[in-house]
Amino acid sequence: MSKRVRIVVTVAAVAALAAAAWAVFGRGDAKQSAFLTAFADRGTVVQSVATTGTLTAVTTVKVGSQVSGIIATLHSDFNRKVQKGQLLATLDPTPFEATVNENRAQLDRARIAALDGEIKLKRQKAMFEAKLISEDELQSAKAVHDQAAAQVTQLEATLKKAETNLQYSVIRAPIDGVVVSRDYDVGQTVAASFQAPTLFTIAEDLTRMQLTCQVDEADIGQVKEGQTVRFSVDAYPERDFLGKVSQIRLSPQVTNNVVTYPVIVEVGNADLKLLPGMTADVRVQVAQADNALRVPASALRFRPELLGINGQGSRQAAPERAAAAGPRTGDGPHAAVRTARVYLPPARPGGAPVAVDFVPGLTDGQFVEVRQGELADGARIVVGVATAQGQDIGGLAGMARGRH
């Protein structure tokens, strides 16, 4: 084949493609378009309330010291498993032991004084019965005896307090769990003047966690105990974790004039992937429709009038049927029904898309449930538009084959 013949054939092929594009897209002005479509199908639509939350252990105990002193030894560290009663740390016992010994000595002296007072009181009683002393002298001896006995009681209490402080210098685990925090080192001084300083933080059971979320007041009415929760954390972005709403706390929190309510979610953590303090992106599944007819949410955002494309009428959902199936915006027999609109592709090339109204149900952001309307399973729906102007012939032909 000669070069001139090949040129003629090439020009003819390009002309054929251009003619096909002309037939598909019209005259090529800015208002003619190739419509991108998707299908209405059946599937599951799960409506969720989105929020964020923080993971914590179900039970976390802060282990402190009730006495002041210098840390002498440490017997546990981060991530160590501990048993209830296990030794965690000790304070320098020297000052506590000295106080105990001092109080014991004072108590011994007081007991000797009380015994001496008791002997003198007995002697004074005998002399009083023999009428050798006055009643005033007897009462004076009795007062000395009672004062010595009271001193013994006071010093017994002081000694018990000193012995208790000596016991407090030994820090033990109050529960079984895992040490998640240690705030002091050997040689540091623990000052317990007004409140007990925290030495260790122990999480009781990291195989069970809880997620504390803040749900906006506009969404809290949809959240119920027992609902399924899906969430993800940055450490494992490819994985969804499951939980269940266990509590909705009636303690509103106001931040920048936004009212939220704490929602507690129970979470299993058998593989210990989740760690305390992780931030989670949470989706509380508040409603679910199975085997529902659904359309892409993007189809509801398509507006041909904004593109200068005129519609050619619409097919409305039957009002009486839609009112029975969809949510109302008012009360009474004439209450309005909330409807949505999507568009079907033109019935003929160069035509305008056909509007179809329906009663929407649940939405998950990707799909919208069709509760009532004339849309059928498998119907092709316009979700967008690709303008023909500026496209090359190959691109036009490909769009004509695959998208119109």
Side-chain angles (χ1 to χ4, degrees), residues 354-401:
V354 179
V356 178
D357 292 346
F358 68 95
V359 177
L362 305 181
T363 179
D364 58 6
Q366 184 178 2
F367 294 98
V368 177
E369 177 193 8
V370 179
R371 286 195 174 172
Q372 184 65 340
E374 297 185 3
L375 287 172
D377 188 3
R380 182 175 293 224
I381 302 169
V382 178
V383 295
V385 64
T387 58
Q389 189 175 18
Q391 303 270 359
D392 60 27
I393 297 300
L396 292 174
M399 290 167 58
R401 288 194 302 269

Side-chain angles (χ1 to χ4, degrees), residues 240-260:
D240 266 1
F241 296 88
L242 292 177
K244 183 176 291 187
V245 176
S246 63
Q247 187 180 51
I248 302 171
R249 294 180 177 171
L250 307 179
S251 55
Q253 300 183 10
V254 182
T255 305
N256 297 327
N257 294 325
V258 177
V259 180
T260 58

Side-chain angles (χ1 to χ4, degrees), residues 117-135 137-139 141-142 145-146:
E118 183 180 1
I119 294 172
K120 289 181 178 179
L121 178 60
K122 289 181 179 180
R123 184 183 304 118
Q124 292 295 85
K125 282 182 179 181
M127 294 176 67
F128 176 75
E129 291 174 355
K131 299 184 184 300
L132 297 177
I133 62 173
S134 66
E135 185 176 355
E137 291 176 310
L138 175 62
Q139 294 299 328
K142 186 176 185 303
H145 170 266
D146 291 345

Side-chain angles (χ1 to χ4, degrees), residues 2-52:
S2 66
K3 181 177 181 180
R4 177 174 297 179
V5 173
R6 286 198 300 271
I7 293 175
V8 171
V9 171
T10 302
V11 171
V14 172
L17 288 174
W22 184 281
V24 171
F25 302 115
R27 297 182 179 275
D29 58 29
K31 295 183 180 180
Q32 295 298 329
S33 308
F35 295 108
L36 308 179
T37 61
F39 293 98
D41 64 356
R42 290 197 172 272
T44 300
V45 180
V46 179
Q47 185 165 310
S48 303
V49 170
T51 183
T52 58

